[in-house]
Amino acid sequence: MAKLTFRGGIHPYDGKDLSKDKPMKAILPKGDLVYPLSQHIGAPAVPVVAKGDRVVTGQKIAEAGGFVSAPIYATVSGTVKAIEPRRVVTGDLAMSIVVENDGLYEEAAYASMGPLEDLTKEEIVRIVREAGIVGMGGAGFPTHVKLSPKEPDKIDYVIANCAECEPYLTSDYRRMLEEPEKLVGGLKVMLRLFDNAKGILAVEDNKPDCIAALQKLVADEPDITVKALQTKYPQGAERQLIYAATGRAIHSGMLPADAGCIVDNVDTVVAINQAVREGRPLMHRIVTVTGDAIADPCNFIVRIGTNYHELIEEAGGFKSEPAKIVSGGPMMGFALFGLDVPTTKTSSALLCMTKDEVSLYAPSACINCGRCVEVCPGRVIPSKLADFAEHGEDEKFLAYNGMECCECGCCSFVCPAKRPLTQAIKSMRKMQLAKKKK
């Protein structure tokens, strides 16, 4: 039987052994909590509290700034200390609500949503919107928008992205292994919205224990199947995942819904389950703190707004001085200039490495070997696109389908000349998208 996969891709060292056997562990923040108002794609959230206000865990502190936006909730009890610009992982300053933690962790009462069977589709989407749920795999797209396609009757598949192909990350793995019922429960909630859809739990085949646990849970669910995908990066990228799981191809001008698919990652689906079944807004996420510089790599259940410094302390600190710290994984994460930044809804990992391998090599001229073309899942020519980007040749960049790049980093990884291909293409794509918005 053919493996469920896509053309191209790479097999980097996955680093998952460092933390995959570490169960999820809830930690409590000690210092101030910082809540950037832009933790999602779309309009920033709008504060509904002021400096000096007292808040409790689960209280809304910022409301959605539009349809494509999401509210934010306090994750501790305390006092609003400031509403001011604070540094975030990308290096930007983002307007943020700062809450002084009183250490009491008083919690709001959550309204009962009633049995799932009694909720209408509109009520489910409203609950997801009010809970502040966004894509927690990194993109941060507001989930209620994704669950509101123009033609819901044409949705054939609701896919839970359980691939977790990014090296070093094990948060989704632990969630699937320890709480598979919450994942399946969230998928069932999503299927309630689409009358003609089947559910797919798409898991890479390097997680046989998760596959077995999920198959056992859905054995009596005719509308849900578990699909084992070939282990390969970037198997979890949206376009590649859809093709591997369904055989349907999409391009940059399409949304997954245009191919009859809705895709959400593990933590997002679990958050949907908690919001609809328990009335709880999005306040926590799983963060993998790992790397060869970390004393005790772990998977933490983190309250959103917690400072990165505290995550390092909880993992036993550094056993060696890190040469590079990355928010996220090594392929698509952001290198950090410092740790004084908050955990947000899209923070999946904190990776601390003793070597900065990228800085060890100076880029040289392209040798036209074609390796970048072989591994590119977007079926473009990264070496040419990078040339066009570096020379500001917009028309050629678009003519050579530069917008089809998914910024996975495969080309940079295999390039023998060590050219920063992905970075150049990514910059040009950002400029083209900005022009399109204008």
Side-chain angles (χ1 to χ4, degrees):
M1 180 176 156
K3 288 276 190 179
L4 298 175
T5 191
F6 59 95
R7 176 193 173 278
I10 56 175
H11 295 87
Y13 166 65
D14 71 6
K16 294 181 186 288
D17 284 347
L18 292 172
S19 59
K20 75 179 184 67
D21 296 324
K22 301 293 182 68
M24 298 185 298
K25 177 185 175 184
I27 60 173
L28 293 175
K30 302 177 182 71
D32 293 346
L33 283 289
V34 177
Y35 305 94
L37 298 175
S38 296
Q39 298 187 38
H40 49 262
I41 290 173
V46 179
V48 292
V49 292
K51 183 178 178 179
D53 288 354
R54 188 171 190 282
V55 298
V56 295
T57 306
Q59 177 181 331
K60 186 191 289 188
I61 56 175
E63 62 186 5
F67 178 64
V68 184
S69 186
I72 297 168
Y73 290 81
T75 56
V76 296
S77 57
T79 305
V80 177
K81 192 175 180 180
I83 300 177
E84 62 188 19
R86 287 294 185 100
R87 197 72 66 182
V88 293
V89 293
T90 57
D92 298 325
L93 285 169
M95 190 61 71
S96 306
I97 299 172
V98 183
V99 174
E100 185 176 7
N101 181 7
D102 63 12
L104 300 177
Y105 301 102
E106 292 181 45
E107 197 156 357
Y110 305 115
S112 173
M113 297 297 145
L116 176 62
E117 296 72 23
D118 294 344
L119 296 174
T120 65
K121 295 175 183 179
E122 292 74 19
E123 286 173 329
I124 291 173
V125 173
R126 178 186 58 78
I127 291 167
V128 170
R129 181 180 68 241
E130 270 301 297
I133 300 171
V134 304
M136 295 164 73
F141 192 76
T143 302
H144 69 274
V145 180
K146 191 178 284 191
L147 297 180
S148 307
K150 291 180 181 177
E151 298 178 289
D153 290 342
K154 292 187 177 180
I155 300 300
D156 300 315
Y157 299 105
V158 177
I159 306 171
N161 184 351
C162 311
E164 196 168 48
C165 63
E166 181 80 30
Y168 289 92
L169 274 61
T170 56
S171 54
D172 286 350
Y173 171 75
R174 292 310 311 181
R175 179 75 90 175
M176 286 187 283
L177 202 59
E178 296 180 52
E179 299 179 333
E181 67 285 346
K182 292 183 179 180
L183 173 61
V184 173
L187 184 56
K188 287 181 181 178
V189 171
M190 296 171 73
L191 287 171
R192 286 272 301 168
L193 300 172
F194 307 106
D195 296 334
N196 304 317
K198 302 289 186 182
I200 297 175
L201 293 153
V203 193
E204 279 193 324
D205 59 9
N206 64 347
K207 306 175 183 67
D209 43 2
C210 293
I211 291 172
L214 292 170
Q215 284 177 332
K216 185 178 179 180
L217 272 179
V218 303
D220 297 323
E221 300 289 343
D223 292 335
I224 300 177
T225 57
V226 179
K227 292 197 174 184
L229 312 180
Q230 182 179 339
T231 299
K232 181 168 63 170
Y233 177 85
Q235 190 70 265
E238 200 167 54
R239 294 183 218 167
Q240 283 66 48
L241 184 81
I242 289 172
Y243 182 78
T246 71
R248 299 184 179 188
I250 63 172
H251 55 73
S252 62
M254 298 170 66
L255 294 171
D258 296 328
C261 300
I262 300 290
V263 183
D264 269 313
N265 97 307
V266 170
D267 245 7
T268 309
V269 178
V270 170
I272 291 171
N273 181 71
Q274 292 177 330
V276 176
R277 296 180 189 270
E278 302 172 21
R280 299 176 66 85
L282 176 56
M283 298 183 290
H284 304 79
R285 68 155 300 129
I286 313 297
V287 179
T288 302
V289 181
T290 187
D292 58 358
I294 289 292
D296 183 22
C298 291
N299 294 289
F300 294 127
I301 302 173
V302 179
R303 294 180 184 232
I304 290 164
T306 302
N307 192 281
Y308 272 9
H309 272 297
E310 296 187 29
L311 302 188
I312 298 294
E313 289 174 13
E314 291 286 351
F318 299 123
K319 65 178 182 182
S320 303
E321 190 63 29
K324 176 171 274 190
I325 301 176
V326 177
S327 177
M331 299 302 296
M332 296 190 74
F334 296 95
L336 294 177
F337 55 90
L339 287 167
D340 190 19
V341 291
T343 304
T344 63
K345 296 177 183 182
T346 57
S347 302
S348 58
L350 193 52
L351 175 60
C352 305
M353 311 297 291
T354 56
K355 291 182 181 178
D356 182 358
E357 294 188 18
V358 174
S359 66
L360 295 177
Y361 304 99
S364 56
C366 175
I367 62 172
N368 295 310
C369 65
R371 293 183 194 175
C372 60
V373 181
E374 289 177 4
V375 301
C376 177
R379 303 193 180 192
V380 294
I381 307 174
S383 54
K384 276 192 174 294
L385 292 176
D387 285 340
F388 299 147
E390 288 166 359
H391 294 95
E393 297 180 284
D394 297 38
E395 290 183 9
K396 287 184 178 179
F397 182 86
L398 294 174
Y400 275 75
N401 299 311
M403 301 310 288
E404 296 307 310
C405 170
C406 66
E407 303 175 9
C408 65
C410 289
C411 54
S412 297
F413 181 82
V414 300
C415 179
K418 305 302 178 186
R419 295 181 67 199
L421 301 170
T422 306
Q423 290 84 345
I425 297 168
K426 184 176 182 177
S427 295
M428 177 61 91
R429 288 185 78 250
K430 279 187 177 178
M431 287 191 282
Q432 297 308 313
L433 289 170
K435 285 181 182 179
K436 204 171 181 181
K437 282 183 181 178
K438 287 181 181 179

